[in-house]
Amino acid sequence: NAAQLRFVPSADPNDFPHWSLILNHVGGSLDDTIKINEWCQHNGVRNGHDYLVLWCAFLFREPLKKLPYLFFHGPQNSGKSSFHEALSLLFERKRGYVEVNQALTSQGGFNGELLNAVLCVAEEIDLSRESSQAYNRIKNWTTAQEIPIHAKFCDPYMVPNTCHFIQTANKREFCYVPKNDTRITMSYVPEIVGEIAKDELFQRLEKEAPDFLGHLFAMELPESGRRLAIPFLDTPDKLDAGAANQTSFERFLEDKVMRIDGAKIKLSEMFSCYKAWLQRIDPIEAETITKQKMTSQLPSDIVKGKSTVDGQWFLANVSFTPVEAGKRLTVNPATRYLTEEGNAE
């Protein structure tokens, strides 16, 4: 049941105009961001078309490499799904091409369809903030080297992760994008101008498939030096979505707190300042906020621990005012005391 190519890649590929038509259409909103992306410019990625071609090349040639989670959104009948539908033609009997709406939302955690999956598609499903379970799965399945397979009536077991994801939706909000996300590339897909009948389009795509595959297998694959084989892109659309999804505490940290290694703020002082700030921004939320709720939202670069001097609780590597940086503070998970990074307690 392993994924196989349906077509033999051409040894001397020609043009593939109808594949390019789709790539230019769904990737057009990436062009401006790519022009100012240092990695893309260094590696000859000129526009959204080139970016998606490179994404496809890694998909088929290096399926164990990790790729950005692609999210296409736009009005109905804009051709958002044409990219993954075209790619489905390249899979023999569509093995390796799977729909993952159920796997992302299953309350029981069942995801048997991910076994041997290479291209995973989520269509018109709300994976917004309220669906945090789905977002956590996306985070794991996008970058993990291995994933657990849990089919119904079977015990879970681990397999190498060959999953790569495309999500499409009419609404941008259907894909939850946190601020400073490092996995997702978001592209707005406009309405189609000069539409080709779908049956005719797919016939032309099949005819050009050997040349498209030949191009993918002939092109040089660059090194990224990162966990993703090609970089995610922070398009203006994505940055807007990330800002809209910020929690009040994230906005407070961005507005009032500096990240400085070695510095620390007493937990009670942080809470008092946050609550006072929140009363001006959202008085209703300020009435219900607690220290526990606040600390549950701490980002990974801010650690909570006790002082070795008096045992009081602090948040480390942050300051309200500019101070001289020191050694980064970490926390001993056994004792919860703060200590300088690299030092034994």
Side-chain angles (χ1 to χ4, degrees):
N1 292 318
Q4 300 289 332
L5 290 177
R6 181 182 169 197
F7 302 94
V8 177
S10 173
D12 186 20
N14 295 311
D15 291 337
F16 34 89
H18 293 88
W19 285 89
S20 290
L21 191 68
I22 290 174
L23 296 169
N24 282 319
H25 179 63
V26 301
S29 73
L30 305 177
D31 291 356
D32 290 341
T33 303
I34 286 170
K35 289 175 184 176
I36 59 173
N37 183 281
E38 184 177 345
W39 186 93
C40 288
Q41 295 309 301
H42 180 74
N43 288 283
V45 179
R46 302 161 299 172
N47 49 37
H49 174 285
D50 293 352
Y51 181 86
L52 295 178
V53 165
L54 194 55
W55 194 92
C56 293
F58 276 105
L59 178 78
F60 289 110
R61 290 171 56 185
E62 299 280 356
L64 289 173
K65 293 282 183 71
K66 311 310 167 198
L67 292 170
Y69 183 101
L70 300 182
F71 176 59
F72 300 105
H73 72 100
Q76 272 191 314
N77 301 317
S78 62
K80 301 181 296 292
S81 301
S82 59
F83 179 48
H84 74 75
E85 289 176 347
L87 292 178
S88 76
L89 300 175
L90 306 179
F91 290 85
E92 177 66 31
R93 301 181 188 176
K94 294 194 176 181
R95 289 197 302 256
Y97 169 86
V98 299
E99 197 244 47
V100 294
N101 287 17
Q102 284 292 101
L104 288 169
T105 58
S106 168
Q107 294 299 313
F110 299 119
N111 64 355
E113 56 266 51
L114 297 186
L115 180 63
N116 296 326
V118 177
L119 179 55
C120 304
V121 175
E123 282 262 74
E124 290 302 335
I125 181 173
D126 186 355
L127 302 178
S128 59
R129 187 186 235 352
E130 286 72 24
S131 186
S132 59
Q133 178 176 260
Y135 175 68
N136 288 331
R137 290 172 183 172
I138 288 169
K139 283 203 305 182
N140 181 40
W141 296 345
T142 301
T143 55
Q145 296 301 313
E146 292 187 325
I147 57 172
I149 297 297
H150 190 187
K152 286 185 178 180
F153 312 116
C154 297
D155 293 331
Y157 57 96
M158 303 297 291
V159 298
N161 182 15
T162 58
C163 296
H164 311 86
F165 293 86
I166 296 176
Q167 182 186 349
T168 64
N170 292 339
K171 296 182 178 180
R172 186 182 75 178
E173 294 75 20
F174 276 18
C175 179
Y176 171 59
V177 181
K179 190 175 175 65
N180 301 320
D181 166 78
T182 58
R183 292 173 173 82
I184 297 170
T185 291
M186 178 183 288
S187 179
Y188 173 76
V189 182
E191 292 184 359
I192 297 173
V193 178
E195 184 176 0
I196 302 173
K198 192 168 185 178
D199 288 347
E200 181 181 351
L201 175 62
F202 276 52
Q203 288 175 11
R204 296 181 186 182
L205 291 172
E206 289 188 6
K207 186 176 180 180
E208 297 168 9
D211 289 316
F212 181 60
L213 283 170
H215 177 73
L216 297 184
F217 278 82
M219 66 189 299
E220 183 177 350
L221 298 182
E223 290 290 335
S224 74
R226 307 169 187 176
R227 64 179 178 177
L228 297 178
I230 65 175
F232 63 91
L233 298 177
D234 282 334
T235 59
D237 199 19
K238 176 186 170 183
L239 294 175
D240 287 345
N245 286 326
Q246 271 190 300
T247 65
S248 298
F249 188 51
E250 288 170 337
R251 292 199 298 272
F252 167 75
L253 292 175
E254 189 173 274
D255 188 33
K256 298 295 184 182
V257 176
M258 303 176 190
R259 296 323 205 256
I260 302 177
D261 285 353
K264 57 184 186 290
I265 299 172
K266 191 177 293 186
L267 177 60
S268 58
E269 183 183 356
M270 177 74 87
F271 179 71
S272 296
C273 291
Y274 173 50
K275 187 164 185 176
W277 179 90
L278 196 57
Q279 283 172 338
R280 297 193 300 273
I281 303 300
D282 188 342
I284 295 176
E285 186 178 354
E287 289 299 314
T288 61
I289 194 64
T290 63
K291 285 183 184 178
Q292 185 176 11
K293 283 183 181 180
M294 183 189 76
T295 55
S296 70
Q297 302 177 63
L298 284 175
S300 58
D301 62 329
I302 300 178
V303 296
K304 172 187 168 186
K306 293 187 291 185
S307 168
T308 55
V309 176
D310 55 15
Q312 294 194 64
W313 287 95
F314 283 81
L315 299 181
N317 305 309
V318 287
S319 176
F320 287 128
T321 58
V323 295
E324 186 176 347
K327 285 189 175 181
R328 182 167 184 79
L329 295 171
T330 60
V331 64
N332 184 312
T335 64
R336 303 300 298 167
Y337 282 117
L338 292 170
T339 183
E340 291 183 348
E341 194 170 54
N343 288 355
E345 188 173 306

